[in-house]
Amino acid sequence: MACICIALLLVPPRDPKALYTSSHPPIHSHIHTLVEASYSCSHSCPGTGQTDRSEAHPELEANSSGKEWTATRRLPQALIIGVKKGGTRALLEFLRLHPDIRALGSEPHFFDRHYARGLDWYRSIMPKALDGQIVMEKTPRYFVTVETPARVHAMSKDVKLIVVVRDPVTRAISDYTQIISKTPNIPAFESLAFKNQTTGQIDSLWSPLWIGLYAQHMERWLAWFPRNQIHLVSGERLISDPAGELGKVQDFLGLQRIVTDKHFYFNKTKGFPCLKKPEGSSKPHCLGKTKGRTHASINPEVIQRLRDFYKPHNQRFYQMAGQDFGWQ
């Protein structure tokens, strides 16, 4: 009895990005299925004169085990490590538009709170990713936690680090605004920001102010990682020119610039950029109600005192960063 076999063979293109569109997920898994189907077919019909696929299509040999097209859980290759109220959530949501990025949605706090659970646990909560895709997560607390740089380095000395920074005075007010939204009975900003309001002595250990001492925190990271492994994002420009900042981040990650200005529009009500059509949705999307909320009203004299306090710290940070962020 003659053996009749119809073989379907899809050869993946040289550029895997050709498999992506703006509105469809990767189809690597389907390609793998079809290739394996054709392989089984050719081997189930002996004597048909068909050539083994590794001979007819040597470019498929690397995929013969299916590993290249199989999604697995891996430790992250990139981390958004800070700063709180700097724009980290916006950056993560914008980056998730890129087909070569697989990002954890929640903040795992592994290196600052759950380190004792171990790297196997950390890996288990990561999203599955294909070869060539970058796995990443964001936990803003990492930037200011003393133990974190050494712990991250122990995981990978090659990990890429991203820090979103913002005018520390504006950031502190935003931080306080979030705090009072959850605990409305706390003291006024002025009484918390100063050890002594009469003398004007700043309480730099108060968390909203301490986080803004960027040079102090950056110094710890530079003791473990070279400057070219740390990319700084301007929180102000992330709002005024999201495509420009995203372009630099994509370059830093070694990715094609796929997320561009066509993905954004400016929402005048929120005063914040929004996504025109996020992946898997036909409707525009803005970040949650807590993003872009009106800040607490602070005495201008207090704001000026804080600007004077931060000025030398900012200058030192500019020198470390190799760029001037233009904060007042």
Side-chain angles (χ1 to χ4, degrees):
M1 179 176 173
C3 178
I4 300 175
C5 182
I6 299 175
L8 177 61
L9 180 66
L10 251 62
V11 179
R14 292 184 182 274
D15 181 7
K17 291 185 177 66
L19 298 173
Y20 296 104
T21 67
S22 61
S23 58
H24 294 85
I27 59 170
H28 293 111
S29 57
H30 302 301
I31 290 175
H32 172 61
T33 302
L34 292 171
V35 169
E36 291 303 327
S38 71
Y39 183 51
S40 301
C41 185
S42 65
H43 278 68
S44 64
C45 299
T48 60
Q50 296 183 37
T51 306
D52 183 85
R53 70 173 180 169
S54 63
E55 297 175 9
H57 300 280
E59 69 273 23
L60 288 178
E61 188 61 20
N63 300 333
S64 60
S65 66
K67 289 182 180 178
E68 185 174 339
W69 308 118
T70 301
T72 56
R73 298 190 195 280
R74 302 193 304 267
L75 292 171
Q77 298 127 291
L79 299 171
I80 299 175
I81 59 174
V83 297
K84 180 185 178 185
K85 307 309 296 178
T88 58
R89 171 55 58 185
L91 178 63
L92 186 74
E93 291 301 313
F94 296 164
L95 283 174
R96 291 176 83 177
L97 292 173
H98 200 294
D100 285 341
I101 288 178
R102 296 285 288 132
L104 188 65
S106 58
E107 297 177 5
H109 284 276
F110 173 67
F111 293 104
D112 62 331
R113 296 178 186 171
H114 304 298
Y115 194 63
R117 296 191 178 194
L119 287 174
D120 287 340
W121 175 82
Y122 188 42
R123 182 187 294 108
S124 73
I125 65 173
M126 289 297 130
K128 288 185 176 181
L130 300 166
D131 284 356
Q133 289 183 312
I134 292 176
V135 177
M136 67 188 305
E137 62 110 328
K138 78 113 176 164
T139 303
R141 193 74 185 173
Y142 291 164
F143 186 61
V144 299
T145 305
V146 174
E147 303 85 2
T148 299
R151 291 174 175 179
V152 173
H153 189 271
M155 177 193 75
S156 171
K157 62 182 177 60
D158 300 315
V159 67
K160 294 188 175 183
L161 307 168
I162 301 171
V163 190
V164 188
V165 290
R166 179 185 185 187
D167 181 330
V169 176
T170 309
R171 197 221 66 80
I173 296 171
S174 178
D175 201 345
Y176 176 76
T177 300
Q178 183 180 60
I179 292 170
I180 60 174
S181 72
K182 297 177 180 179
T183 51
N185 295 323
I186 66 167
F189 180 93
E190 292 82 353
S191 63
L192 295 171
F194 295 99
K195 288 183 178 179
N196 187 317
Q197 291 191 56
T198 304
T199 62
Q201 185 182 5
I202 302 290
D203 186 358
S204 61
L205 294 181
W206 182 42
S207 181
L209 299 184
W210 174 71
I211 290 173
L213 299 173
Y214 302 145
Q216 177 179 314
H217 308 307
M218 184 77 164
E219 195 169 43
R220 285 196 299 270
W221 286 93
L222 289 174
W224 290 95
F225 295 94
R227 175 66 185 85
N228 62 7
Q229 261 177 255
I230 304 175
H231 180 73
L232 300 174
V233 175
S234 165
E236 287 82 11
R237 286 196 294 271
L238 189 60
I239 294 174
S240 64
D241 180 21
E245 286 300 296
L246 264 290
K248 295 173 188 175
V249 175
Q250 290 169 92
D251 292 346
F252 172 69
L253 295 174
L255 299 174
Q256 183 180 337
R257 288 195 176 198
I258 290 178
V259 183
T260 63
D261 53 3
K262 69 181 181 182
H263 291 93
F264 303 99
Y265 75 95
F266 191 80
N267 185 304
K268 293 182 180 179
T269 302
K270 293 181 72 71
F272 207 86
C274 299
L275 303 175
K276 287 183 179 178
K277 287 186 179 181
E279 192 69 32
S281 173
S282 60
K283 297 180 180 180
H285 170 69
C286 288
L287 297 177
K289 294 179 180 179
T290 62
K291 307 301 178 183
R293 76 179 88 170
T294 303
H295 286 178
S297 179
I298 309 297
N299 187 319
E301 184 179 337
V302 171
I303 292 176
Q304 187 56 52
R305 286 187 180 184
L306 289 176
R307 295 206 182 283
D308 293 340
F309 165 75
Y310 276 118
K311 189 171 183 178
H313 297 283
N314 291 343
Q315 291 300 325
R316 184 164 164 249
F317 179 65
Y318 294 167
Q319 291 178 344
M320 288 181 173
Q323 65 185 105
D324 186 331
F325 288 90
W327 300 321
Q328 296 178 14

